[in-house]
């Protein structure tokens, strides 16, 4: 379980195919604090640490994950948003994030607004019932508030800190992002569906 508050970014050092899986080697300042079998959010995707060597570590993305996320597009040099699993003894500054991506969206616009940035993204129309005005969404692992929602698009405002310390600074129109809708909305939708 995560909060959507990005701890740091990592740099993809290499990727390699292993059958239907993708092994991703990442260099990060938190590598030395990780443990084998620990969960870490990578652009909002929960992946398990399988190997650690100095300031780099490896994770494996299985075929199911590669089909539903943007991880298959990672190349050496790409920046990845990272968050370690939350500890249940402090504040939850974002919202409850599972690291189970529901699908991808595409950046359709980016506008600088005198110190902040306004981004607009598409989202899968099948998830329209899970997104609400001023509600939360996890985009590439970042907990954000959505607004100006339509049947297929939403907007988010990015503050300078988030812009500077996450990979959102590299996003431009056409960029594919991972989306996870709020788990509370998913439970409500499921309860309504089975009644």
């Amino acid at each position: 379980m995560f909060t959507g508050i990005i701890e740091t970014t990592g740099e993809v050092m290499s990727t390699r195919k292993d059958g239907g899986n993708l092994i991703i080697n990442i260099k990060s300042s938190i590598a030395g604090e990780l443990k084998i079998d620990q969960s870490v959010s990578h652009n909002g995707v929960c992946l398990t640490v399988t190997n650690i060597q100095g300031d780099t570590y490896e994770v494996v993305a299985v075929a199911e994950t590669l089909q539903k996320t943007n991880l298959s597009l990672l190349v050496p040099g790409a920046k990845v948003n990272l968050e370690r699993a939350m500890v249940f003894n402090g504040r939850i500054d974002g919202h409850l994030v599972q690291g189970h991506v529901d699908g991808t969206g595409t950046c359709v616009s980016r506008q600088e607004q005198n110190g902040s940035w306004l981004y607009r993204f598409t989202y899968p129309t099948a998830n329209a019932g899970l997104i609400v005005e001023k509600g939360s969404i996890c985009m590439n692992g970042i907990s954000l508030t959505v607004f100006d929602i339509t049947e297929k698009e939403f907007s988010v405002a990015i503050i300078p800190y988030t812009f500077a310390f996450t990979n959102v600074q590299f996003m431009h129109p056409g960029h594919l992002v991972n989306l996870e809708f709020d788990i509370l909305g998913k439970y409500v939708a499921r309860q309504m569906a089975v009644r």
Side-chain angles (χ1 to χ4, degrees):
M1 191 69 75
F2 306 95
T3 65
I5 303 299
I6 302 305
E7 190 171 349
T8 188
T9 57
E11 181 179 353
V12 174
M13 302 307 291
S14 65
T15 62
R16 70 180 188 278
K17 292 292 277 181
D18 182 20
N21 301 334
L22 182 67
I23 299 173
I24 307 165
N25 185 274
I26 297 169
K27 181 177 182 177
S28 172
S29 60
I30 64 170
E33 300 171 41
L34 299 178
K35 296 177 183 162
I36 302 292
D37 206 28
Q38 192 170 31
S39 295
V40 178
S41 171
H42 299 77
N43 279 354
V45 182
C46 180
L47 298 173
T48 302
V49 176
T50 58
N51 190 15
I52 304 167
Q53 302 250 326
D55 62 354
T56 65
Y57 67 94
E58 285 185 346
V59 291
V60 179
V62 298
E64 166 82 4
T65 301
L66 296 173
Q67 290 170 6
K68 292 188 175 177
T69 70
N70 66 5
L71 295 186
S72 63
L73 303 176
L74 292 178
V75 295
K79 298 293 185 192
V80 183
N81 293 329
L82 302 175
E83 179 189 0
R84 288 179 285 181
M86 71 180 191
V87 179
F88 278 100
N89 68 352
R91 292 180 178 87
I92 299 174
D93 293 315
H95 71 284
L96 295 177
V97 176
Q98 292 184 293
H100 302 161
V101 171
D102 295 301
T104 56
T106 303
C107 179
V108 293
S109 67
R110 167 182 161 157
Q111 182 181 9
E112 204 266 320
Q113 296 194 312
N114 195 25
S116 65
W117 289 261
L118 177 67
Y119 283 82
R120 190 136 182 95
F121 294 94
T122 63
Y123 69 92
T125 55
N127 298 116
L130 300 177
I131 187 168
V132 296
E133 192 76 14
K134 304 292 190 231
S136 296
I137 196 165
C138 186
M139 194 263 321
N140 262 15
I142 308 167
S143 175
L144 297 169
T145 302
V146 296
F147 58 95
D148 290 342
I149 300 167
T150 67
E151 292 180 11
K152 55 187 172 183
E153 293 182 355
F154 66 87
S155 294
V156 294
I158 305 295
I159 64 172
Y161 183 90
T162 303
F163 187 86
F165 291 99
T166 69
N167 66 9
V168 74
Q169 64 187 288
F170 305 112
M171 292 178 195
H172 294 279
H175 194 106
L176 196 69
V177 296
N178 295 324
L179 298 175
E180 179 183 335
F181 296 91
D182 193 346
I183 187 64
L184 299 177
K186 291 179 195 177
Y187 280 121
V188 170
R190 175 68 178 151
Q191 288 299 313
M192 298 298 286
V194 299
R195 284 192 175 175

